[in-house]
Amino acid sequence: MSVDHVQELEGAGEGETVTMAASDLRSYAVAPGVRLNVRSGPGTGYGIVRVLPEGARVTIFCQRPGTTVAGPYGTSNIWDNIDDGEYVADAYVNTGSDGYVRPRCS
C-alpha cells in the first residue's frame, strides 16, 4: 500500500497542489554519532519536539530557509520538514547537496 503526501508548492497557482507518491520520497542519513534535535519550526528559536537517536534516517517532504546552522555537512540556513510541524537542520543531514533537494515548503 502506498501513502501519498500532498503539499502546496511555492510559485504554484492559488489552490494548486502537487501530490507526491511515497515512491518519490527517499530517506537521508543523519550525521554519524549525532542525536539530532527536531524542532517545531525552521530555526533554533523553535522548541524541541523530540530528539532523533544516533543512526537515524529522515524523509524530507519539503525544505525552507531559517536559522543558519553549522554542522558536519557545512553551514546552511536550509531546514528539512520531516513530518507535520517537525524540522531538522539540513547541515546535519547527508543529502549530498549544499542546496535544496526537495521543493520549498509553502
Side-chain angles (χ1 to χ4, degrees):
M1 180 163 92
S2 172
V3 176
D4 291 339
H5 180 77
V6 178
Q7 71 184 67
E8 292 186 23
L9 295 178
E10 185 175 287
E14 187 173 333
E16 184 178 343
T17 61
V18 173
T19 302
M20 296 182 294
S23 61
D24 292 340
L25 300 173
R26 62 177 280 211
S27 67
Y28 299 90
V30 171
V34 171
R35 295 181 67 233
L36 186 59
N37 291 335
V38 179
R39 297 188 177 269
S40 61
T44 56
Y46 290 88
I48 297 171
V49 295
R50 64 184 171 120
V51 178
L52 298 176
E54 290 183 27
R57 295 184 69 83
V58 295
T59 299
I60 301 171
F61 294 105
C62 61
Q63 296 175 296
R64 69 183 324 152
T67 305
T68 299
V69 173
Y73 301 114
T75 300
S76 175
N77 73 336
I78 298 173
W79 285 74
D80 305 330
N81 175 253
I82 61 168
D83 206 345
D84 189 28
E86 295 188 356
Y87 292 85
V88 295
D90 191 67
Y92 285 88
V93 179
N94 188 6
T95 62
S97 172
D98 289 336
Y100 289 86
V101 296
R102 300 295 301 150
R104 292 226 184 168
C105 303
S106 56

